[in-house]
Amino acid sequence: LMGGQIEAKSKRGEGSTFIFNIPMSRSLKPARNSTPQESMTVLAGKNILIVDDNTTSRNILIKQLKALSMLPVGVNSGLQALDILSQNSNFDLILADKDMPQIDGLQLTKSIKIKYPVIPVVLLNPAGDEDYKQEPGLFAYVIAKPVRLHTLQDDVLAVFTKPVIAELKTEPEKLEENFSQKYPVRILIAEDNLINQKIA
């Protein structure tokens, strides 16, 4: 329906390759850049402690923060984070993963707030998990996982520039009545389940 093609190549014992292409026209809109360049100077040189037991996730966060000219340090547990803080508490922000063994993100943040109350902590929270709501005011910000660079950039910037504590929105914003007229987008749904088609 979109004028594209799809093909699959497979060899037993070697694996499969799936290829698709869709003809698209170049967008006339400018590339997304929600954060003015002058605001980005706020982030440059900030010392960030990343606490995540998943090596891949931790390394991705380190790479993303370095791309924002920040100075990230990664550790793989809450215990290691507390040990580093006891030696050097000169961190501007702490990113703590919610789900970690021994000490999870909630427990870690409570411990941090007792000894280092001025360091803001951002919780990296699994989508759909609302345990953090039982601790209002504990976190400077709550970011839903998986974390993307532009949302990380916007949310971390918000920690340093917005005095109001922000969290995940509990209910979606209501769309304007003329939303479909303002944004006449045609959407193709590829779904073999009829019920899912109707819900979408």
Side-chain angles (χ1 to χ4, degrees), residues 30-40 68 150 153-154 157:
R32 184 189 187 281
N33 185 14
S34 62
T35 309
Q37 191 59 39
E38 56 270 22
S39 297
M40 292 306 298
L68 298 175
H150 70 270
Q153 170 183 307
D154 293 345
L157 182 62

Side-chain angles (χ1 to χ4, degrees), residues 2 21-22 48 55 60 90 184 188:
M2 296 180 72
N21 62 69
I22 301 172
I48 312 295
T55 303
I60 289 173
N90 188 32
L188 174 63

Side-chain angles (χ1 to χ4, degrees), residues 5-6 14 23 33 35 46 48-49 56 76 81 113 122 126 154:
Q5 295 177 319
I6 186 168
E14 293 186 18
N33 185 14
T35 309
K46 295 289 187 184
I48 312 295
L49 179 61
T56 301
N76 60 19
K113 287 302 177 182
V122 169
D154 293 345

